[in-house]
Amino acid sequence: MHQLKTVTEVDIKMQNILDKKLIFVTGKGGVGKTTVATGLAWLAQSLGKKTLICEVEPKGDVANSFECGSTPFSKREVTKQLEAMSMDTEASLREYLKLHLKLPVVGRIGPVAKAFEFVATAAPGVREILTVGKLCWEVKENHYDIVIVDASPTGHIVGQLAAPEAINELVKVGPIRSQTGWMLDILANPSKTGVVIVSTAEEMPVNETLDLSQRIYSETKVKLVGIVVNQVLPELFSHQEEELFEKLRIDPYFDKLKGVINGDPTPIFDAARLAVTLRRSRASHLERLRSEINKNVPLLYLPYRFNRSEGLKSVRTTATYLSDELGF
Ligand SMILES: Nc1ncnc2c1ncn2[C@@H]1O[C@H](COP(=O)(O)OP(=O)(O)O)[C@@H](O)[C@H]1O
Ligand SMILES: [Mg+2]
């Protein structure tokens, strides 16, 4: 894992992930989006890149990962090179009004917020454009080398990524259109923007990953730049050792072992069988993912963490694995 790799073409493509300006990390709920987004952000900042991470669905998981206290819309400094924020569509609207329409907006926006709630509920795309617009704005302002988005899960990400285009379709002329054109320029530029899908080698996450990659391709202008296969199980023992475990289940070995440990060894054998079965079934899902996904999309592997560490310690571990996978 830690030895130097030959730099293949695939490695070069993978390296490009952190060379981009805007990376959306998405995937099925619970597969490890926050784990990957915080790991990538930590790696980026440790490589000297000025980094912003944004948690789109603010549950406080990014703050917990960095052990840094809450991450408001107005941002929090995590390290000298890393800032973290959470999305808030009302605050995004307020900032938009202030920046673009030069409206002095003090405190809560009151009636505007009410009108916004109404419009956002009635017109699909409004909430999405405020989310994606803020992220593109951070890229446009160029205060950061990279913006990493702990994005919405599979069900919502396509709507967000496609929002500027959808609004462009609706409004053919006028100021709103000019307000979405520059977002599209950022999102549709493959050297600036990319999506990373996180999956696990299980049936449902693989299905969702294949489905989502297809939708990203057909419904958005954003490029899929990588798939992280998370929670990869290690091969704990070889075939020979597996046979040995099976042999030990039967007499005379079983009886002898029982005497030696002064107890029933069956649970240990069951655990060994389970480890083999889980790894094998995952291997077949992984095989399907690899064979059905576009060959140009690199797959990155993150091992299952057996130690129950959370917070910064696990962020650092993830960043180290990602660094290896990306060939740094
Ligand atoms: N490689 C891993 N090994 C072990 N546990 C993991 C791994 N990746 C994520 N987890 C755990 O799985 C849970 C969900 O991960 P999280 O990154 O919060 O997913 P998401 O953001 O997609 O909901 C968390 O408790 C996290 O610590
Ligand atoms: Mg999360």
Side-chain angles (χ1 to χ4, degrees):
M1 194 47 127
H2 287 265
Q3 74 267 44
L4 275 178
K5 293 179 191 167
T6 356
V7 179
T8 61
E9 200 191 337
V10 174
D11 285 329
I12 292 166
K13 278 185 205 141
M14 287 177 176
Q15 278 173 358
N16 289 345
I17 290 182
L18 288 187
D19 287 340
K20 305 207 187 296
K21 291 279 172 193
L22 181 59
I23 290 290
F24 291 87
V25 181
T26 181
K28 189 179 186 310
V31 289
K33 290 180 294 300
T34 304
T35 302
V36 171
T38 51
L40 280 176
W42 193 262
L43 176 60
Q45 69 91 38
S46 67
L47 292 169
K49 290 177 188 288
K50 183 87 182 146
T51 307
L52 173 68
I53 182 167
C54 175
E55 186 172 25
V56 167
E57 306 207 333
K59 291 187 285 187
D61 289 348
V62 166
N64 288 339
S65 300
F66 291 134
E67 301 175 34
C68 66
S70 67
T71 54
F73 183 79
S74 57
K75 297 163 192 157
R76 169 185 292 272
E77 189 179 287
V78 181
T79 68
K80 270 223 150 12
Q81 291 292 90
L82 173 62
E83 289 180 22
M85 63 165 286
S86 303
M87 189 48 69
D88 172 344
T89 39
E90 187 185 314
S92 175
L93 173 65
R94 191 186 314 163
E95 187 177 80
Y96 174 85
L97 293 175
K98 206 160 98 188
L99 285 168
H100 299 277
L101 307 180
K102 310 274 185 279
L103 285 181
V105 191
V106 215
R108 280 181 66 83
I109 40 183
V112 181
K114 284 212 183 76
F116 164 67
E117 273 307 319
F118 178 76
V119 174
T121 314
V126 170
R127 209 177 288 281
E128 287 78 3
I129 202 84
L130 286 167
T131 297
V132 88
K134 165 68 175 172
L135 298 165
C136 289
W137 177 252
E138 292 296 341
V139 173
K140 191 166 180 248
E141 284 288 273
N142 219 10
H143 292 150
Y144 302 96
D145 295 313
I146 186 165
V147 177
I148 292 172
V149 189
D150 181 4
S152 298
T154 330
H156 293 115
I157 187 72
V158 173
Q160 283 169 6
L161 296 177
E165 241 185 315
I167 288 191
N168 254 9
E169 283 296 306
L170 278 174
V171 197
K172 297 276 182 211
V173 284
I176 300 234
R177 192 179 169 90
S178 72
Q179 281 308 322
T180 51
W182 64 269
M183 292 182 201
L184 268 176
D185 289 344
I186 292 173
L187 292 173
N189 183 340
S191 64
K192 280 199 171 151
T193 305
V195 180
V196 169
I197 305 179
V198 185
S199 185
T200 52
E202 294 168 294
E203 189 171 5
M204 289 308 289
V206 167
N207 287 347
E208 280 199 23
T209 301
L210 292 170
D211 202 43
L212 179 62
S213 72
Q214 190 53 44
R215 288 194 64 199
I216 288 172
Y217 178 72
S218 55
E219 295 174 41
T220 83
K221 296 255 186 294
V222 190
K223 198 165 183 282
L224 177 62
V225 293
I227 291 177
V228 177
V229 184
N230 190 20
Q231 305 186 12
V232 175
L233 295 174
E235 185 142 25
L236 293 174
F237 36 80
S238 67
H239 257 292
Q240 272 170 338
E241 285 159 336
E242 189 191 336
E243 279 167 17
L244 186 68
F245 266 115
E246 290 303 321
K247 236 184 193 168
L248 290 173
R249 289 186 96 110
I250 37 181
D251 284 339
Y253 309 108
F254 187 83
D255 221 30
K256 277 195 182 144
L257 201 61
K258 221 167 149 182
V260 173
I261 65 167
N262 200 17
D264 183 3
T266 309
I268 299 166
F269 296 138
D270 287 346
R273 253 188 202 167
L274 180 66
V276 172
T277 313
L278 274 179
R279 194 183 145 83
R280 288 222 179 106
S281 74
R282 290 199 173 201
S284 67
H285 297 304
L286 191 56
E287 206 42 60
R288 190 162 67 92
L289 178 65
R290 198 183 289 140
S291 65
E292 290 183 32
I293 207 80
N294 183 323
K295 294 284 168 288
N296 293 324
V297 178
L299 262 54
L300 284 75
Y301 301 93
L302 274 185
Y304 191 90
R305 278 193 329 265
F306 285 98
N307 59 348
R308 294 256 140 235
S309 71
E310 297 285 333
L312 209 45
K313 197 164 166 231
S314 80
V315 170
R316 285 207 181 94
T317 310
T318 306
T320 307
Y321 280 120
L322 286 170
S323 170
D324 278 349
E325 285 295 281
L326 291 165
F328 287 113

